[in-house]
Amino acid sequence: LGDTDQIQGVPYYRRLHLVNHRLGGPGQKQNLVPGSQENNSEMERDFEAPIKNMIGDEPMMPGKKAVLWMKVSVTYRPAKKYGTGSKVQTLQFPRTITCKWGYLKNKPKKNAETPRTIPLPVPEPA
């Protein structure tokens, strides 16, 4: 899917960054996956925002000293045809995006976030 591509009847799917661009993820196909707008919001709220809060969203931000690891993996559905008429496309959509992170060092002492695994089920397009 391109940035603005839509599948007929599935207007709220977009290309999601697996690793947010503010955390070093490129806008290249190996870092992009189709997902719902809701998945995009969940990734920002539950995965990316806590990490940015600890390490910042710019290099060398003052007061941001935590050193973290993170991993994002995708489980895909089998390829399937979507659309109608001349707009039929064979696409492979994710089933689940799993986001994990933890501390390597410099865990903040007060009110520290707990390392976590966040499974995001991706709804299948109609």
Side-chain angles (χ1 to χ4, degrees):
L1 288 174
D3 275 334
T4 59
D5 290 346
Q6 293 183 351
I7 299 169
Q8 191 169 349
V10 190
Y12 298 107
Y13 270 69
R14 60 184 320 143
R15 293 189 317 169
L16 308 178
H17 283 80
L18 295 173
V19 176
N20 183 282
H21 73 282
R22 297 292 232 177
L23 298 173
Q28 298 170 344
K29 69 180 181 177
Q30 68 270 22
N31 188 45
L32 299 170
V33 65
S36 69
Q37 177 58 48
E38 183 178 348
N39 291 137
N40 197 50
S41 298
E42 290 170 318
M43 282 185 79
E44 171 58 33
R45 180 189 66 232
D46 298 338
F47 181 61
E48 297 160 1
I51 291 172
K52 290 177 194 174
N53 187 48
M54 291 178 285
I55 66 169
D57 60 2
E58 295 290 334
M60 308 302 289
M61 285 186 72
K64 305 294 184 180
K65 299 189 188 287
V67 179
L68 308 176
W69 61 265
M70 61 184 194
K71 177 181 179 182
V72 181
S73 58
V74 182
T75 303
Y76 285 92
R77 292 181 163 83
K80 184 175 169 183
K81 292 184 188 267
Y82 294 92
T84 59
S86 65
K87 301 224 177 201
V88 172
Q89 302 176 65
T90 300
L91 300 170
Q92 192 173 20
F93 277 84
R95 182 179 306 280
T96 305
I97 301 169
T98 303
C99 308
K100 298 179 182 183
W101 70 268
Y103 293 97
L104 282 176
K105 60 182 180 177
N106 300 337
K107 178 178 177 180
K109 295 191 186 328
K110 290 186 177 184
N111 302 319
E113 291 279 344
T114 302
R116 55 181 126 169
T117 298
I118 302 152
L120 299 172
V122 179
E124 184 171 11

